[in-house]
PDB file of all heavy atoms in Angstrom:
ATOM      1  N   ASN A 184     118.002 258.725 237.957  1.00 96.00           N
ATOM      2  CA  ASN A 184     117.584 257.960 236.790  1.00 96.00           C
ATOM      3  C   ASN A 184     117.014 256.594 237.186  1.00 96.00           C
ATOM      4  O   ASN A 184     117.040 255.633 236.399  1.00 96.00           O
ATOM      5  CB  ASN A 184     118.730 257.778 235.791  1.00 96.00           C
ATOM      6  CG  ASN A 184     118.219 257.515 234.390  1.00 96.00           C
ATOM      7  OD1 ASN A 184     117.166 258.031 233.984  1.00 96.00           O
ATOM      8  ND2 ASN A 184     118.960 256.696 233.630  1.00 96.00           N
ATOM      9  N   VAL A 185     116.511 256.494 238.404  1.00 96.00           N
ATOM     10  CA  VAL A 185     115.863 255.262 238.860  1.00 96.00           C
ATOM     11  C   VAL A 185     114.469 255.153 238.248  1.00 96.00           C
ATOM     12  O   VAL A 185     114.013 254.082 237.893  1.00 96.00           O
ATOM     13  CB  VAL A 185     115.772 255.240 240.402  1.00 96.00           C
ATOM     14  CG1 VAL A 185     115.032 254.006 240.886  1.00 96.00           C
ATOM     15  CG2 VAL A 185     117.170 255.282 241.005  1.00 96.00           C
ATOM     16  N   ILE A 186     113.816 256.317 238.122  1.00 97.00           N
ATOM     17  CA  ILE A 186     112.534 256.431 237.416  1.00 97.00           C
ATOM     18  C   ILE A 186     112.719 257.449 236.302  1.00 97.00           C
ATOM     19  O   ILE A 186     113.428 258.441 236.459  1.00 97.00           O
ATOM     20  CB  ILE A 186     111.419 256.905 238.379  1.00 97.00           C
ATOM     21  CG1 ILE A 186     111.082 255.803 239.386  1.00 97.00           C
ATOM     22  CG2 ILE A 186     110.174 257.308 237.619  1.00 97.00           C
ATOM     23  CD1 ILE A 186     110.053 256.225 240.426  1.00 97.00           C
ATOM     24  N   ARG A 187     112.104 257.190 235.156  1.00 97.00           N
ATOM     25  CA  ARG A 187     112.209 258.121 234.015  1.00 97.00           C
ATOM     26  C   ARG A 187     110.850 258.775 233.772  1.00 97.00           C
ATOM     27  O   ARG A 187     109.835 258.097 233.643  1.00 97.00           O
ATOM     28  CB  ARG A 187     112.672 257.384 232.767  1.00 97.00           C
ATOM     29  CG  ARG A 187     114.142 256.942 232.825  1.00 97.00           C
ATOM     30  CD  ARG A 187     114.543 256.247 231.540  1.00 97.00           C
ATOM     31  NE  ARG A 187     114.242 257.061 230.380  1.00 97.00           N
ATOM     32  CZ  ARG A 187     113.814 256.557 229.211  1.00 97.00           C
ATOM     33  NH1 ARG A 187     113.626 255.254 229.076  1.00 97.00           N
ATOM     34  NH2 ARG A 187     113.576 257.363 228.195  1.00 97.00           N
ATOM     35  N   LEU A 221     104.003 252.808 236.446  1.00 96.00           N
ATOM     36  CA  LEU A 221     105.358 252.552 235.960  1.00 96.00           C
ATOM     37  C   LEU A 221     105.333 251.314 235.079  1.00 96.00           C
ATOM     38  O   LEU A 221     104.738 250.297 235.438  1.00 96.00           O
ATOM     39  CB  LEU A 221     106.327 252.349 237.131  1.00 96.00           C
ATOM     40  CG  LEU A 221     106.639 253.551 238.009  1.00 96.00           C
ATOM     41  CD1 LEU A 221     107.497 253.119 239.199  1.00 96.00           C
ATOM     42  CD2 LEU A 221     107.335 254.643 237.217  1.00 96.00           C
ATOM     43  N   ASP A 222     106.009 251.411 233.911  1.00 95.00           N
ATOM     44  CA  ASP A 222     106.116 250.208 233.078  1.00 95.00           C
ATOM     45  C   ASP A 222     107.308 249.367 233.541  1.00 95.00           C
ATOM     46  O   ASP A 222     107.961 249.689 234.546  1.00 95.00           O
ATOM     47  CB  ASP A 222     106.212 250.587 231.597  1.00 95.00           C
ATOM     48  CG  ASP A 222     107.494 251.331 231.223  1.00 95.00           C
ATOM     49  OD1 ASP A 222     108.444 251.350 232.047  1.00 95.00           O
ATOM     50  OD2 ASP A 222     107.536 251.872 230.111  1.00 95.00           O
ATOM     51  N   SER A 223     107.603 248.314 232.831  1.00 94.00           N
ATOM     52  CA  SER A 223     108.649 247.372 233.259  1.00 94.00           C
ATOM     53  C   SER A 223     110.037 247.993 233.270  1.00 94.00           C
ATOM     54  O   SER A 223     110.930 247.500 233.952  1.00 94.00           O
ATOM     55  CB  SER A 223     108.639 246.131 232.356  1.00 94.00           C
ATOM     56  OG  SER A 223     108.840 246.512 231.001  1.00 94.00           O
ATOM     57  N   SER A 224     110.225 249.085 232.512  1.00 95.00           N
ATOM     58  CA  SER A 224     111.528 249.755 232.496  1.00 95.00           C
ATOM     59  C   SER A 224     111.561 250.961 233.449  1.00 95.00           C
ATOM     60  O   SER A 224     112.471 251.765 233.386  1.00 95.00           O
ATOM     61  CB  SER A 224     111.868 250.206 231.079  1.00 95.00           C
ATOM     62  OG  SER A 224     110.933 251.167 230.616  1.00 95.00           O
ATOM     63  N   ARG A 225     110.543 251.056 234.311  1.00 96.00           N
ATOM     64  CA  ARG A 225     110.420 252.127 235.304  1.00 96.00           C
ATOM     65  C   ARG A 225     110.231 253.503 234.664  1.00 96.00           C
ATOM     66  O   ARG A 225     110.654 254.522 235.204  1.00 96.00           O
ATOM     67  CB  ARG A 225     111.607 252.156 236.250  1.00 96.00           C
ATOM     68  CG  ARG A 225     111.762 250.905 237.092  1.00 96.00           C
ATOM     69  CD  ARG A 225     112.989 250.984 237.943  1.00 96.00           C
ATOM     70  NE  ARG A 225     113.191 249.768 238.716  1.00 96.00           N
ATOM     71  CZ  ARG A 225     114.354 249.419 239.259  1.00 96.00           C
ATOM     72  NH1 ARG A 225     115.402 250.223 239.130  1.00 96.00           N
ATOM     73  NH2 ARG A 225     114.462 248.304 239.952  1.00 96.00           N
ATOM     74  N   LYS A 226     109.580 253.514 233.519  1.00 97.00           N
ATOM     75  CA  LYS A 226     109.195 254.769 232.881  1.00 97.00           C
ATOM     76  C   LYS A 226     107.769 255.106 233.279  1.00 97.00           C
ATOM     77  O   LYS A 226     106.910 254.215 233.392  1.00 97.00           O
ATOM     78  CB  LYS A 226     109.314 254.672 231.370  1.00 97.00           C
ATOM     79  CG  LYS A 226     109.003 255.989 230.658  1.00 97.00           C
ATOM     80  CD  LYS A 226     109.250 255.893 229.164  1.00 97.00           C
ATOM     81  CE  LYS A 226     108.931 257.213 228.483  1.00 97.00           C
ATOM     82  NZ  LYS A 226     109.183 257.151 227.011  1.00 97.00           N
ATOM     83  N   VAL A 227     107.512 256.399 233.507  1.00 97.00           N
ATOM     84  CA  VAL A 227     106.186 256.839 233.917  1.00 97.00           C
ATOM     85  C   VAL A 227     105.231 256.780 232.725  1.00 97.00           C
ATOM     86  O   VAL A 227     105.486 257.367 231.672  1.00 97.00           O
ATOM     87  CB  VAL A 227     106.232 258.266 234.480  1.00 97.00           C
ATOM     88  CG1 VAL A 227     104.829 258.767 234.823  1.00 97.00           C
ATOM     89  CG2 VAL A 227     107.124 258.312 235.726  1.00 97.00           C
ATOM     90  N   ILE A 228     104.127 256.051 232.914  1.00 96.00           N
ATOM     91  CA  ILE A 228     103.077 255.955 231.890  1.00 96.00           C
ATOM     92  C   ILE A 228     101.752 256.264 232.590  1.00 96.00           C
ATOM     93  O   ILE A 228     101.745 256.766 233.720  1.00 96.00           O
ATOM     94  CB  ILE A 228     103.058 254.550 231.251  1.00 96.00           C
ATOM     95  CG1 ILE A 228     102.874 253.480 232.336  1.00 96.00           C
ATOM     96  CG2 ILE A 228     104.331 254.300 230.450  1.00 96.00           C
ATOM     97  CD1 ILE A 228     102.614 252.090 231.789  1.00 96.00           C
TER      98      ILE A 228
END
Side-chain angles (χ1 to χ4, degrees):
N184 204 33
V185 177
I186 290 176
R187 289 181 53 216
L221 291 174
D222 67 13
S223 58
S224 64
R225 297 177 183 162
K226 183 175 180 179
V227 176
I228 56 171

